[in-house]
Amino acid sequence: MNSTLIHLLHSSVGFFLYKHINLFFQKYQNKKLANNSTSFFHALTSSLLGVNYLVNNSSIIPIKFNSTGYFTYDIINIIQQNKFSFTDLIYIYHHLASHWYMTLNPLKYQWTYILTWAEFSNLPGYIVYYNIQKDKQKKLWKGYKSYNTKYWM
């Protein structure tokens, strides 16, 4: 089977997986927090799959499936919101470039190391965002920060 076709298959199936993960989170959280939780889920699973690949030399297919699916989900989500801020356009570019980069030889181009540690470094940001949004929902006073928010900042 053609590698481009396999890449598209991973992206498509992964997109539907992330769409359902987001819908699950939306049952318990508002849309912003559900998107943040979906992104956190991707960063966490990418980190775990990447470390497993790097330490145990396991299959690279789960990493491609996970990340290309999430990148496709996020691109479509941004397009559906129809806001296209500069930041949104940068995310679309970043996801498309990452899609392409993941089609290259992982041994020659070392994208597994980059993806693993980049996603690992994103984890605290998702936790901080979650806590800031939860603090805003409490509406206690302007500038209020809970213990969790202060801890993660």
Side-chain angles (χ1 to χ4, degrees), residues 35-54:
N35 284 335
N36 184 65
S37 295
T38 304
S39 298
F40 178 84
F41 182 86
H42 170 255
L44 181 63
T45 55
S46 291
S47 299
L48 295 173
L49 290 169
V51 168
N52 186 43
Y53 171 80
L54 297 171

Side-chain angles (χ1 to χ4, degrees), residues 60-74:
I60 203 159
I61 292 172
I63 298 170
K64 285 185 172 186
F65 170 81
N66 185 55
S67 288
T68 60
Y70 173 75
F71 296 154
T72 304
Y73 158 79
D74 203 37

Side-chain angles (χ1 to χ4, degrees), residues 14-15 18-19 22 35-36 38-39 42 67-81 87-88 91-92 94-95 99 126:
F15 161 77
Y18 275 98
K19 184 69 176 165
N22 183 264
N35 284 335
N36 184 65
T38 304
S39 298
H42 170 255
S67 288
T68 60
Y70 173 75
F71 296 154
T72 304
Y73 158 79
D74 203 37
I75 289 169
I76 292 171
N77 191 37
I78 291 168
I79 292 169
Q80 286 176 336
Q81 289 177 14
T87 304
D88 291 334
Y91 276 122
I92 291 172
H94 163 74
H95 290 333
H99 256 282
Y126 296 125

Side-chain angles (χ1 to χ4, degrees), residues 79-121:
I79 292 169
Q80 286 176 336
Q81 289 177 14
N82 202 24
K83 287 195 229 171
F84 304 112
S85 68
F86 181 71
T87 304
D88 291 334
L89 296 174
I90 294 297
Y91 276 122
I92 291 172
Y93 169 78
H94 163 74
H95 290 333
L96 290 172
S98 297
H99 256 282
W100 170 78
Y101 193 46
M102 291 177 72
T103 64
L104 303 175
N105 181 334
L107 298 175
K108 183 176 180 182
Y109 294 98
Q110 302 295 310
W111 60 259
T112 50
Y113 288 94
I114 295 167
L115 179 73
T116 300
W117 301 119
E119 293 301 341
F120 182 76
S121 73

